[in-house]
Amino acid sequence: MPRKTLPTFYYHSHFLEFLEFVRGPSAHLLNQDQKAFLSLFDTLDTLCQCTLVRLLNRKGRVVKIASLVFAEIPSIEQELNKLAQHGLVSALQTAHYSDFIAALTKAELFDLYTECADANMPAIKKSIAKPALLESCAKLNREHVVASVLAQQYVVTQCEHHIAYFLFLYFGHNKGLLNQFSMRDLGLMRTRDEQAQMQSRLSKETVNRFH
């Protein structure tokens, strides 16, 4: 059996389907901040929306800009700048430090340590094990790290907390992922059945436990 192929903007269509449920059966479970995010998303042009959805489909909130290469988005930098203007993404800040180093490869961690280590910190070898390298990087001055050459190559999403909550509303548990929509269309996984999509099965008491 030939493999199914998905249309170019499949992920955008999936995200709109996802939000349709959030705005509909789950609307009464949204607070003002969440409603404001939905309204802001609606003001974005299509390519800007697509860029945000691409980011939200990545593992982790810290994403390497060079990895965001998509034929349907001609200027990723331009779209990221738009998202930054709306506060939906940002440059790396000290609060994102743990997420940042967790996203790095061993080679990147080595380069980061080499660039940012203070003079009184010990030199390390490239052969160092990654756990030990992570431990060494955890001791770096965070201000130096966010100002590093490597940090400028990454972007941080600032709305993942909204998406995590919306996924909780959609799936009824906290293990749902956006890529499950694509897997559904490829015949690899089910999401919610039509009846379940017509009504939210979550009570406000259940939702309070999420928060």
Side-chain angles (χ1 to χ4, degrees), residues 61-79:
R61 64 184 302 203
V62 179
V63 181
K64 193 169 188 176
I65 297 171
S67 72
L68 299 170
V69 179
F70 310 106
E72 74 276 14
I73 305 177
S75 177
I76 200 72
E77 292 280 1
Q78 178 178 317
E79 305 308 328

Side-chain angles (χ1 to χ4, degrees), residues 2-137:
R3 291 186 61 182
K4 293 183 179 180
T5 57
L6 298 175
T8 301
F9 292 101
Y10 69 91
Y11 57 93
H12 183 252
S13 299
H14 292 161
F15 195 73
L16 295 182
E17 175 190 340
F18 167 58
L19 293 188
E20 183 179 353
F21 174 83
V22 173
R23 300 175 195 270
S26 294
H28 64 293
L29 300 173
L30 303 178
N31 63 29
Q32 290 305 310
D33 285 345
Q34 292 148 1
K35 292 176 182 178
F37 167 77
L38 293 172
S39 296
L40 174 57
F41 182 81
D42 289 341
T43 68
L44 305 176
D45 62 64
T46 300
L47 286 183
C48 199
Q49 290 182 352
C50 287
T51 302
L52 182 60
V53 177
R54 284 291 197 183
L55 284 165
L56 293 171
N57 271 285
R58 292 300 180 90
K59 181 180 179 181
R61 64 184 302 203
V62 179
V63 181
K64 193 169 188 176
I65 297 171
S67 72
L68 299 170
V69 179
F70 310 106
E72 74 276 14
I73 305 177
S75 177
I76 200 72
E77 292 280 1
Q78 178 178 317
E79 305 308 328
L80 290 175
N81 286 337
K82 293 179 191 176
L83 291 173
Q85 289 171 11
H86 290 292
L88 295 171
V89 303
S90 74
L92 191 75
Q93 301 167 18
T94 55
H96 311 134
Y97 183 76
S98 296
D99 290 327
F100 176 55
I101 63 171
L104 300 180
T105 65
K106 182 180 176 183
E108 288 175 323
L109 287 167
F110 183 83
D111 290 344
L112 181 69
Y113 186 88
T114 301
E115 179 182 353
C116 299
D118 294 333
N120 61 344
M121 296 180 74
I124 58 174
K125 297 181 179 180
K126 283 193 173 183
S127 58
I128 187 173
K130 189 172 182 180
L133 184 52
L134 282 166
E135 186 176 336
S136 295
C137 286

Side-chain angles (χ1 to χ4, degrees), residues 181-199:
F181 291 88
S182 304
M183 296 175 72
R184 175 203 63 190
D185 287 0
L186 291 170
L188 301 176
M189 178 180 288
R190 296 181 62 186
T191 53
R192 298 169 63 98
D193 59 34
E194 291 183 4
Q195 181 178 3
Q197 292 200 40
M198 293 303 295
Q199 59 181 1

